[in-house]
Amino acid sequence: MQKEYKSVEESQVVISELMLPSHSNFNGKIHGGYILSLLDQIAFACASKHSRAYCVTASVDTVDFLKPIEIGELVTMKASVNYIGRSSMVIGIRVEAENIQTGKVKHCNSSYITMVAKDDAGNSVEVPGLILKTDNQVRRFAKSIKRRKMKIKRSKEFHETDFLSDKYLHIEEEYKAKIQLDS
């Protein structure tokens, strides 16, 4: 029988990996796509650990690349469940890179990925609730609610069908754009 609620600590995952030349881009920095792949893997592990179910990536909500990662640095990713829906979980991930020669650690990336738990037939399944034990955990949960509301609003705006070009004439004045509509 699955627990009704789980603490954040019960599903936290930490991975570390040494960055190799094969992970770099043409500029000699670690390729962002490689980091995205690692983010997806740790989000899957964290969500699956919490839900005890197979999980799929529903959306990559935020990925903020803050500092470049160098070849030879030890990258550590720390993932935890920040928010729970019925079948969805927002996984917060902090990425740090350590220069293993100097010991200096830098915060390189913060990410939020929404995962959904599925059964063997591919149907969404309910996940355990989340026990919040610290102010930081409550803050992360509340911020996830706020990001979720903004995401819903953006989605509605994206799917607007009542486009009136006159409504957007300020674009030419405020941004580097010129509107030339074919009538």
Side-chain angles (χ1 to χ4, degrees):
M1 183 175 157
Q2 190 165 319
K3 286 184 176 181
E4 197 172 326
Y5 288 87
K6 292 173 99 172
S7 70
V8 172
E9 295 80 11
E10 288 180 82
S11 50
Q12 287 178 322
V13 177
V14 177
I15 62 170
S16 294
E17 185 173 330
L18 185 65
M19 294 296 104
L20 303 174
S22 61
H23 303 142
S24 67
N25 59 25
F26 295 113
N27 200 25
K29 309 295 182 198
I30 300 307
H31 195 285
Y34 184 72
I35 298 302
L36 287 171
S37 173
L38 293 176
L39 290 169
D40 194 48
Q41 289 176 44
I42 195 169
F44 170 84
C46 183
S48 296
K49 192 173 177 182
H50 182 81
S51 66
R52 295 289 177 218
Y54 179 75
C55 293
V56 296
T57 306
S59 66
V60 178
D61 303 324
T62 307
V63 179
D64 292 324
F65 291 100
L66 306 172
K67 294 182 181 163
I69 299 171
E70 308 290 335
I71 295 169
E73 290 184 322
L74 182 65
V75 168
T76 300
M77 295 187 175
K78 302 171 185 175
S80 61
V81 178
N82 286 5
Y83 171 83
I84 295 291
R86 190 192 79 72
S87 62
S88 65
M89 298 153 278
V90 173
I91 309 302
I93 307 164
R94 180 181 174 95
V95 179
E96 297 175 339
E98 178 181 357
N99 179 316
I100 55 177
Q101 294 174 325
T102 66
K104 184 178 178 189
V105 176
K106 61 185 175 185
H107 178 202
C108 297
N109 185 304
S110 289
S111 301
Y112 302 96
I113 299 177
T114 300
M115 306 294 288
V116 176
K118 301 284 187 175
D119 63 15
D120 293 338
N123 300 309
S124 297
V125 296
E126 194 166 344
V127 299
L130 201 58
I131 300 168
L132 306 172
K133 296 180 181 178
T134 68
D135 285 343
N136 204 24
Q137 291 171 357
V138 173
R139 180 186 59 79
R140 287 177 177 161
F141 196 93
K143 285 195 167 211
S144 291
I145 293 169
K146 188 175 182 179
R147 274 193 306 277
R148 189 169 195 274
K149 287 179 180 177
M150 289 188 308
K151 182 179 172 183
I152 291 167
K153 182 181 177 194
R154 279 193 314 271
S155 180
K156 285 179 184 175
E157 289 174 355
F158 181 77
H159 293 97
E160 278 182 354
T161 56
D162 61 335
F163 178 81
L164 301 172
S165 58
D166 293 346
K167 180 177 169 183
Y168 298 99
L169 289 178
H170 70 280
I171 290 173
E172 282 193 0
E173 297 166 4
E174 297 177 32
Y175 300 95
K176 193 171 182 175
K178 187 169 186 82
I179 299 173
Q180 293 181 335
L181 301 174
D182 295 329
S183 298

mmCIF file of all heavy atoms in Angstrom, residues 112-154:
data_model
loop_
_atom_site.group_PDB
_atom_site.id
_atom_site.type_symbol
_atom_site.label_atom_id
_atom_site.label_comp_id
_atom_site.label_asym_id
_atom_site.label_seq_id
_atom_site.Cartn_x
_atom_site.Cartn_y
_atom_site.Cartn_z
ATOM 1 N N TYR A 112 12.914 23.912 -13.023
ATOM 2 C CA TYR A 112 11.652 23.364 -12.526
ATOM 3 C C TYR A 112 11.041 22.558 -13.654
ATOM 4 O O TYR A 112 10.789 23.087 -14.736
ATOM 5 C CB TYR A 112 10.708 24.479 -12.076
ATOM 6 C CG TYR A 112 11.334 25.337 -11.009
ATOM 7 C CD1 TYR A 112 11.969 26.529 -11.340
ATOM 8 C CD2 TYR A 112 11.332 24.931 -9.683
ATOM 9 C CE1 TYR A 112 12.574 27.304 -10.364
ATOM 10 C CE2 TYR A 112 11.941 25.708 -8.701
ATOM 11 C CZ TYR A 112 12.556 26.886 -9.057
ATOM 12 O OH TYR A 112 13.165 27.647 -8.088
ATOM 13 N N ILE A 113 10.827 21.281 -13.399
ATOM 14 C CA ILE A 113 10.299 20.366 -14.402
ATOM 15 C C ILE A 113 9.052 19.699 -13.842
ATOM 16 O O ILE A 113 9.066 19.187 -12.725
ATOM 17 C CB ILE A 113 11.361 19.315 -14.798
ATOM 18 C CG1 ILE A 113 12.580 20.022 -15.398
ATOM 19 C CG2 ILE A 113 10.779 18.280 -15.752
ATOM 20 C CD1 ILE A 113 13.732 19.111 -15.765
ATOM 21 N N THR A 114 7.969 19.705 -14.634
ATOM 22 C CA THR A 114 6.738 19.044 -14.219
ATOM 23 C C THR A 114 6.724 17.629 -14.766
ATOM 24 O O THR A 114 6.878 17.422 -15.972
ATOM 25 C CB THR A 114 5.495 19.811 -14.713
ATOM 26 O OG1 THR A 114 5.530 21.130 -14.150
ATOM 27 C CG2 THR A 114 4.211 19.120 -14.268
ATOM 28 N N MET A 115 6.555 16.671 -13.863
ATOM 29 C CA MET A 115 6.485 15.254 -14.206
ATOM 30 C C MET A 115 5.093 14.728 -13.861
ATOM 31 O O MET A 115 4.478 15.216 -12.909
ATOM 32 C CB MET A 115 7.543 14.465 -13.425
ATOM 33 C CG MET A 115 8.974 14.977 -13.571
ATOM 34 S SD MET A 115 9.651 14.818 -15.230
ATOM 35 C CE MET A 115 9.888 13.053 -15.346
ATOM 36 N N VAL A 116 4.625 13.739 -14.624
ATOM 37 C CA VAL A 116 3.319 13.135 -14.374
ATOM 38 C C VAL A 116 3.502 11.634 -14.189
ATOM 39 O O VAL A 116 4.193 10.981 -14.985
ATOM 40 C CB VAL A 116 2.338 13.413 -15.529
ATOM 41 C CG1 VAL A 116 1.010 12.693 -15.306
ATOM 42 C CG2 VAL A 116 2.115 14.916 -15.681
ATOM 43 N N ALA A 117 2.883 11.093 -13.141
ATOM 44 C CA ALA A 117 2.946 9.657 -12.850
ATOM 45 C C ALA A 117 1.946 8.909 -13.721
ATOM 46 O O ALA A 117 0.814 9.353 -13.902
ATOM 47 C CB ALA A 117 2.649 9.418 -11.371
ATOM 48 N N LYS A 118 2.370 7.761 -14.257
ATOM 49 C CA LYS A 118 1.540 6.951 -15.155
ATOM 50 C C LYS A 118 1.517 5.502 -14.682
ATOM 51 O O LYS A 118 2.464 5.021 -14.064
ATOM 52 C CB LYS A 118 2.109 6.980 -16.583
ATOM 53 C CG LYS A 118 2.203 8.352 -17.210
ATOM 54 C CD LYS A 118 0.862 8.828 -17.662
ATOM 55 C CE LYS A 118 0.943 10.127 -18.439
ATOM 56 N NZ LYS A 118 -0.343 10.510 -18.979
ATOM 57 N N ASP A 119 0.417 4.800 -15.032
ATOM 58 C CA ASP A 119 0.362 3.367 -14.772
ATOM 59 C C ASP A 119 0.832 2.632 -16.029
ATOM 60 O O ASP A 119 1.225 3.258 -17.021
ATOM 61 C CB ASP A 119 -1.036 2.923 -14.322
ATOM 62 C CG ASP A 119 -2.113 3.130 -15.377
ATOM 63 O OD1 ASP A 119 -1.779 3.347 -16.573
ATOM 64 O OD2 ASP A 119 -3.297 3.085 -15.010
ATOM 65 N N ASP A 120 0.788 1.299 -15.998
ATOM 66 C CA ASP A 120 1.274 0.508 -17.128
ATOM 67 C C ASP A 120 0.487 0.735 -18.411
ATOM 68 O O ASP A 120 0.992 0.512 -19.511
ATOM 69 C CB ASP A 120 1.259 -0.985 -16.770
ATOM 70 C CG ASP A 120 2.282 -1.318 -15.686
ATOM 71 O OD1 ASP A 120 3.248 -0.548 -15.515
ATOM 72 O OD2 ASP A 120 2.110 -2.353 -15.006
ATOM 73 N N ALA A 121 -0.756 1.183 -18.284
ATOM 74 C CA ALA A 121 -1.587 1.444 -19.457
ATOM 75 C C ALA A 121 -1.424 2.872 -19.979
ATOM 76 O O ALA A 121 -2.045 3.259 -20.961
ATOM 77 C CB ALA A 121 -3.059 1.184 -19.119
ATOM 78 N N GLY A 122 -0.592 3.667 -19.290
ATOM 79 C CA GLY A 122 -0.361 5.045 -19.721
ATOM 80 C C GLY A 122 -1.334 6.055 -19.151
ATOM 81 O O GLY A 122 -1.335 7.214 -19.550
ATOM 82 N N ASN A 123 -2.156 5.626 -18.204
ATOM 83 C CA ASN A 123 -3.101 6.537 -17.562
ATOM 84 C C ASN A 123 -2.427 7.250 -16.389
ATOM 85 O O ASN A 123 -1.615 6.654 -15.677
ATOM 86 C CB ASN A 123 -4.317 5.761 -17.044
ATOM 87 C CG ASN A 123 -5.041 5.038 -18.157
ATOM 88 O OD1 ASN A 123 -5.366 5.635 -19.184
ATOM 89 N ND2 ASN A 123 -5.257 3.751 -17.987
ATOM 90 N N SER A 124 -2.791 8.504 -16.185
ATOM 91 C CA SER A 124 -2.263 9.256 -15.048
ATOM 92 C C SER A 124 -2.749 8.625 -13.751
ATOM 93 O O SER A 124 -3.896 8.190 -13.666
ATOM 94 C CB SER A 124 -2.723 10.715 -15.112
ATOM 95 O OG SER A 124 -2.219 11.325 -16.264
ATOM 96 N N VAL A 125 -1.865 8.568 -12.771
ATOM 97 C CA VAL A 125 -2.222 8.002 -11.469
ATOM 98 C C VAL A 125 -1.969 9.028 -10.368
ATOM 99 O O VAL A 125 -1.085 9.875 -10.476
ATOM 100 C CB VAL A 125 -1.450 6.697 -11.161
ATOM 101 C CG1 VAL A 125 -1.819 5.602 -12.142
ATOM 102 C CG2 VAL A 125 0.056 6.925 -11.158
ATOM 103 N N GLU A 126 -2.755 8.947 -9.327
ATOM 104 C CA GLU A 126 -2.630 9.866 -8.210
ATOM 105 C C GLU A 126 -1.318 9.615 -7.462
ATOM 106 O O GLU A 126 -0.893 8.470 -7.313
ATOM 107 C CB GLU A 126 -3.817 9.702 -7.257
ATOM 108 C CG GLU A 126 -3.932 10.831 -6.274
ATOM 109 C CD GLU A 126 -5.279 10.871 -5.558
ATOM 110 O OE1 GLU A 126 -6.221 10.214 -6.031
ATOM 111 O OE2 GLU A 126 -5.359 11.568 -4.548
ATOM 112 N N VAL A 127 -0.697 10.704 -7.033
ATOM 113 C CA VAL A 127 0.576 10.597 -6.309
ATOM 114 C C VAL A 127 0.370 10.970 -4.844
ATOM 115 O O VAL A 127 -0.582 11.686 -4.510
ATOM 116 C CB VAL A 127 1.662 11.498 -6.946
ATOM 117 C CG1 VAL A 127 1.936 11.078 -8.378
ATOM 118 C CG2 VAL A 127 1.289 12.964 -6.893
ATOM 119 N N PRO A 128 1.266 10.491 -3.977
ATOM 120 C CA PRO A 128 1.155 10.857 -2.563
ATOM 121 C C PRO A 128 1.282 12.365 -2.368
ATOM 122 O O PRO A 128 1.976 13.048 -3.129
ATOM 123 C CB PRO A 128 2.336 10.138 -1.910
ATOM 124 C CG PRO A 128 2.720 9.060 -2.856
ATOM 125 C CD PRO A 128 2.375 9.571 -4.225
ATOM 126 N N GLY A 129 0.632 12.875 -1.347
ATOM 127 C CA GLY A 129 0.756 14.282 -0.995
ATOM 128 C C GLY A 129 2.143 14.567 -0.451
ATOM 129 O O GLY A 129 2.984 13.672 -0.335
ATOM 130 N N LEU A 130 2.376 15.807 -0.102
ATOM 131 C CA LEU A 130 3.705 16.242 0.332
ATOM 132 C C LEU A 130 3.640 16.807 1.747
ATOM 133 O O LEU A 130 2.811 17.674 2.034
ATOM 134 C CB LEU A 130 4.222 17.304 -0.644
ATOM 135 C CG LEU A 130 5.710 17.565 -0.706
ATOM 136 C CD1 LEU A 130 6.495 16.305 -1.048
ATOM 137 C CD2 LEU A 130 6.012 18.644 -1.733
ATOM 138 N N ILE A 131 4.490 16.299 2.603
ATOM 139 C CA ILE A 131 4.620 16.831 3.961
ATOM 140 C C ILE A 131 5.682 17.924 3.924
ATOM 141 O O ILE A 131 6.833 17.667 3.561
ATOM 142 C CB ILE A 131 5.031 15.728 4.963
ATOM 143 C CG1 ILE A 131 3.991 14.610 4.988
ATOM 144 C CG2 ILE A 131 5.237 16.321 6.361
ATOM 145 C CD1 ILE A 131 4.440 13.357 5.727
ATOM 146 N N LEU A 132 5.299 19.141 4.288
ATOM 147 C CA LEU A 132 6.211 20.287 4.281
ATOM 148 C C LEU A 132 6.657 20.547 5.715
ATOM 149 O O LEU A 132 5.837 20.864 6.567
ATOM 150 C CB LEU A 132 5.508 21.506 3.691
ATOM 151 C CG LEU A 132 4.883 21.288 2.308
ATOM 152 C CD1 LEU A 132 4.050 22.483 1.890
ATOM 153 C CD2 LEU A 132 5.952 20.980 1.275
ATOM 154 N N LYS A 133 7.964 20.419 5.959
ATOM 155 C CA LYS A 133 8.490 20.499 7.331
ATOM 156 C C LYS A 133 9.269 21.772 7.634
ATOM 157 O O LYS A 133 9.556 22.051 8.786
ATOM 158 C CB LYS A 133 9.413 19.307 7.603
ATOM 159 C CG LYS A 133 8.740 17.960 7.557
ATOM 160 C CD LYS A 133 9.761 16.878 7.853
ATOM 161 C CE LYS A 133 9.164 15.497 7.800
ATOM 162 N NZ LYS A 133 10.197 14.468 8.046
ATOM 163 N N THR A 134 9.654 22.520 6.596
ATOM 164 C CA THR A 134 10.476 23.717 6.824
ATOM 165 C C THR A 134 9.866 24.912 6.108
ATOM 166 O O THR A 134 9.075 24.756 5.172
ATOM 167 C CB THR A 134 11.917 23.517 6.291
ATOM 168 O OG1 THR A 134 11.882 23.436 4.863
ATOM 169 C CG2 THR A 134 12.573 22.271 6.877
ATOM 170 N N ASP A 135 10.264 26.093 6.547
ATOM 171 C CA ASP A 135 9.815 27.321 5.871
ATOM 172 C C ASP A 135 10.226 27.304 4.396
ATOM 173 O O ASP A 135 9.477 27.759 3.533
ATOM 174 C CB ASP A 135 10.406 28.562 6.544
ATOM 175 C CG ASP A 135 9.747 28.889 7.873
ATOM 176 O OD1 ASP A 135 8.639 28.378 8.134
ATOM 177 O OD2 ASP A 135 10.347 29.654 8.651
ATOM 178 N N ASN A 136 11.415 26.792 4.113
ATOM 179 C CA ASN A 136 11.910 26.731 2.739
ATOM 180 C C ASN A 136 11.023 25.820 1.877
ATOM 181 O O ASN A 136 10.728 26.148 0.723
ATOM 182 C CB ASN A 136 13.361 26.238 2.731
ATOM 183 C CG ASN A 136 14.119 26.680 1.501
ATOM 184 O OD1 ASN A 136 13.777 27.680 0.874
ATOM 185 N ND2 ASN A 136 15.137 25.934 1.160
ATOM 186 N N GLN A 137 10.584 24.698 2.418
ATOM 187 C CA GLN A 137 9.711 23.786 1.684
ATOM 188 C C GLN A 137 8.345 24.429 1.428
ATOM 189 O O GLN A 137 7.786 24.298 0.334
ATOM 190 C CB GLN A 137 9.564 22.466 2.431
ATOM 191 C CG GLN A 137 10.836 21.652 2.440
ATOM 192 C CD GLN A 137 10.776 20.439 3.354
ATOM 193 O OE1 GLN A 137 9.793 20.192 4.049
ATOM 194 N NE2 GLN A 137 11.861 19.666 3.369
ATOM 195 N N VAL A 138 7.824 25.144 2.414
ATOM 196 C CA VAL A 138 6.550 25.850 2.245
ATOM 197 C C VAL A 138 6.706 26.933 1.182
ATOM 198 O O VAL A 138 5.847 27.094 0.304
ATOM 199 C CB VAL A 138 6.052 26.447 3.578
ATOM 200 C CG1 VAL A 138 4.824 27.325 3.366
ATOM 201 C CG2 VAL A 138 5.764 25.343 4.588
ATOM 202 N N ARG A 139 7.816 27.677 1.228
ATOM 203 C CA ARG A 139 8.084 28.728 0.234
ATOM 204 C C ARG A 139 8.156 28.145 -1.165
ATOM 205 O O ARG A 139 7.552 28.671 -2.101
ATOM 206 C CB ARG A 139 9.399 29.445 0.577
ATOM 207 C CG ARG A 139 9.779 30.558 -0.406
ATOM 208 C CD ARG A 139 11.158 31.138 -0.121
ATOM 209 N NE ARG A 139 12.225 30.146 -0.182
ATOM 210 C CZ ARG A 139 12.774 29.693 -1.319
ATOM 211 N NH1 ARG A 139 12.357 30.129 -2.480
ATOM 212 N NH2 ARG A 139 13.739 28.798 -1.286
ATOM 213 N N ARG A 140 8.863 27.022 -1.332
ATOM 214 C CA ARG A 140 8.980 26.391 -2.650
ATOM 215 C C ARG A 140 7.616 25.923 -3.167
ATOM 216 O O ARG A 140 7.312 26.062 -4.349
ATOM 217 C CB ARG A 140 9.946 25.207 -2.595
ATOM 218 C CG ARG A 140 11.385 25.617 -2.478
ATOM 219 C CD ARG A 140 12.293 24.425 -2.362
ATOM 220 N NE ARG A 140 13.686 24.840 -2.320
ATOM 221 C CZ ARG A 140 14.665 24.085 -1.879
ATOM 222 N NH1 ARG A 140 14.424 22.859 -1.445
ATOM 223 N NH2 ARG A 140 15.895 24.533 -1.875
ATOM 224 N N PHE A 141 6.794 25.355 -2.273
ATOM 225 C CA PHE A 141 5.455 24.909 -2.656
ATOM 226 C C PHE A 141 4.613 26.106 -3.107
ATOM 227 O O PHE A 141 3.985 26.079 -4.162
ATOM 228 C CB PHE A 141 4.787 24.175 -1.487
ATOM 229 C CG PHE A 141 3.585 23.368 -1.878
ATOM 230 C CD1 PHE A 141 3.701 22.018 -2.191
ATOM 231 C CD2 PHE A 141 2.327 23.942 -1.939
ATOM 232 C CE1 PHE A 141 2.597 21.260 -2.550
ATOM 233 C CE2 PHE A 141 1.211 23.197 -2.303
ATOM 234 C CZ PHE A 141 1.351 21.850 -2.619
ATOM 235 N N ALA A 142 4.639 27.187 -2.313
ATOM 236 C CA ALA A 142 3.851 28.388 -2.631
ATOM 237 C C ALA A 142 4.326 29.021 -3.945
ATOM 238 O O ALA A 142 3.501 29.449 -4.761
ATOM 239 C CB ALA A 142 3.945 29.395 -1.485
ATOM 240 N N LYS A 143 5.635 29.072 -4.172
ATOM 241 C CA LYS A 143 6.150 29.637 -5.423
ATOM 242 C C LYS A 143 5.754 28.771 -6.617
ATOM 243 O O LYS A 143 5.506 29.283 -7.713
ATOM 244 C CB LYS A 143 7.663 29.817 -5.359
ATOM 245 C CG LYS A 143 8.067 31.000 -4.508
ATOM 246 C CD LYS A 143 9.504 31.369 -4.766
ATOM 247 C CE LYS A 143 9.752 32.723 -4.139
ATOM 248 N NZ LYS A 143 10.729 33.486 -4.844
ATOM 249 N N SER A 144 5.674 27.463 -6.394
ATOM 250 C CA SER A 144 5.235 26.564 -7.467
ATOM 251 C C SER A 144 3.779 26.834 -7.833
ATOM 252 O O SER A 144 3.410 26.782 -9.011
ATOM 253 C CB SER A 144 5.410 25.100 -7.051
ATOM 254 O OG SER A 144 6.777 24.769 -6.960
ATOM 255 N N ILE A 145 2.949 27.114 -6.838
ATOM 256 C CA ILE A 145 1.548 27.460 -7.101
ATOM 257 C C ILE A 145 1.491 28.730 -7.942
ATOM 258 O O ILE A 145 0.747 28.813 -8.928
ATOM 259 C CB ILE A 145 0.758 27.640 -5.788
ATOM 260 C CG1 ILE A 145 0.630 26.302 -5.052
ATOM 261 C CG2 ILE A 145 -0.610 28.256 -6.049
ATOM 262 C CD1 ILE A 145 0.094 26.418 -3.636
ATOM 263 N N LYS A 146 2.289 29.711 -7.583
ATOM 264 C CA LYS A 146 2.320 30.983 -8.317
ATOM 265 C C LYS A 146 2.788 30.770 -9.762
ATOM 266 O O LYS A 146 2.186 31.295 -10.701
ATOM 267 C CB LYS A 146 3.243 31.960 -7.585
ATOM 268 C CG LYS A 146 3.222 33.352 -8.134
ATOM 269 C CD LYS A 146 4.076 34.275 -7.282
ATOM 270 C CE LYS A 146 4.028 35.688 -7.800
ATOM 271 N NZ LYS A 146 4.817 36.609 -6.984
ATOM 272 N N ARG A 147 3.860 29.972 -9.955
ATOM 273 C CA ARG A 147 4.349 29.686 -11.309
ATOM 274 C C ARG A 147 3.290 28.938 -12.121
ATOM 275 O O ARG A 147 3.119 29.185 -13.309
ATOM 276 C CB ARG A 147 5.649 28.867 -11.263
ATOM 277 C CG ARG A 147 6.905 29.684 -11.126
ATOM 278 C CD ARG A 147 8.153 28.877 -11.387
ATOM 279 N NE ARG A 147 8.249 27.686 -10.571
ATOM 280 C CZ ARG A 147 8.710 27.665 -9.317
ATOM 281 N NH1 ARG A 147 9.139 28.765 -8.756
ATOM 282 N NH2 ARG A 147 8.757 26.537 -8.654
ATOM 283 N N ARG A 148 2.567 28.037 -11.466
ATOM 284 C CA ARG A 148 1.518 27.261 -12.136
ATOM 285 C C ARG A 148 0.402 28.183 -12.631
ATOM 286 O O ARG A 148 -0.090 28.044 -13.750
ATOM 287 C CB ARG A 148 0.956 26.212 -11.176
ATOM 288 C CG ARG A 148 0.025 25.231 -11.812
ATOM 289 C CD ARG A 148 -0.264 24.081 -10.839
ATOM 290 N NE ARG A 148 -0.855 22.962 -11.515
ATOM 291 C CZ ARG A 148 -2.159 22.829 -11.742
ATOM 292 N NH1 ARG A 148 -2.984 23.757 -11.341
ATOM 293 N NH2 ARG A 148 -2.627 21.770 -12.357
ATOM 294 N N LYS A 149 -0.007 29.144 -11.806
ATOM 295 C CA LYS A 149 -1.049 30.093 -12.210
ATOM 296 C C LYS A 149 -0.581 30.945 -13.398
ATOM 297 O O LYS A 149 -1.346 31.199 -14.325
ATOM 298 C CB LYS A 149 -1.447 30.981 -11.034
ATOM 299 C CG LYS A 149 -2.273 30.256 -9.988
ATOM 300 C CD LYS A 149 -2.615 31.161 -8.824
ATOM 301 C CE LYS A 149 -3.434 30.407 -7.786
ATOM 302 N NZ LYS A 149 -3.736 31.236 -6.608
ATOM 303 N N MET A 150 0.678 31.370 -13.366
ATOM 304 C CA MET A 150 1.227 32.152 -14.482
ATOM 305 C C MET A 150 1.287 31.305 -15.752
ATOM 306 O O MET A 150 1.016 31.797 -16.850
ATOM 307 C CB MET A 150 2.612 32.690 -14.134
ATOM 308 C CG MET A 150 2.586 33.790 -13.092
ATOM 309 S SD MET A 150 4.168 34.626 -12.790
ATOM 310 C CE MET A 150 5.292 33.300 -12.485
ATOM 311 N N LYS A 151 1.616 30.035 -15.605
ATOM 312 C CA LYS A 151 1.689 29.113 -16.736
ATOM 313 C C LYS A 151 0.311 28.937 -17.376
ATOM 314 O O LYS A 151 0.176 28.952 -18.602
ATOM 315 C CB LYS A 151 2.234 27.770 -16.248
ATOM 316 C CG LYS A 151 2.415 26.726 -17.296
ATOM 317 C CD LYS A 151 2.989 25.481 -16.635
ATOM 318 C CE LYS A 151 3.045 24.309 -17.554
ATOM 319 N NZ LYS A 151 3.532 23.104 -16.873
ATOM 320 N N ILE A 152 -0.720 28.803 -16.571
ATOM 321 C CA ILE A 152 -2.088 28.673 -17.074
ATOM 322 C C ILE A 152 -2.489 29.940 -17.823
ATOM 323 O O ILE A 152 -3.070 29.888 -18.904
ATOM 324 C CB ILE A 152 -3.069 28.347 -15.926
ATOM 325 C CG1 ILE A 152 -2.811 26.925 -15.409
ATOM 326 C CG2 ILE A 152 -4.511 28.521 -16.366
ATOM 327 C CD1 ILE A 152 -3.493 26.600 -14.094
ATOM 328 N N LYS A 153 -2.148 31.101 -17.259
ATOM 329 C CA LYS A 153 -2.466 32.383 -17.909
ATOM 330 C C LYS A 153 -1.741 32.497 -19.250
ATOM 331 O O LYS A 153 -2.339 32.899 -20.246
ATOM 332 C CB LYS A 153 -2.078 33.535 -16.986
ATOM 333 C CG LYS A 153 -2.415 34.899 -17.545
ATOM 334 C CD LYS A 153 -2.001 36.021 -16.624
ATOM 335 C CE LYS A 153 -2.305 37.353 -17.280
ATOM 336 N NZ LYS A 153 -1.659 38.466 -16.623
ATOM 337 N N ARG A 154 -0.448 32.132 -19.286
ATOM 338 C CA ARG A 154 0.314 32.185 -20.544
ATOM 339 C C ARG A 154 -0.299 31.262 -21.592
ATOM 340 O O ARG A 154 -0.383 31.607 -22.765
ATOM 341 C CB ARG A 154 1.781 31.788 -20.313
ATOM 342 C CG ARG A 154 2.643 32.879 -19.761
ATOM 343 C CD ARG A 154 4.128 32.550 -19.843
ATOM 344 N NE ARG A 154 4.485 31.225 -19.403
ATOM 345 C CZ ARG A 154 4.797 30.881 -18.157
ATOM 346 N NH1 ARG A 154 4.792 31.788 -17.214
ATOM 347 N NH2 ARG A 154 5.129 29.645 -17.857
#
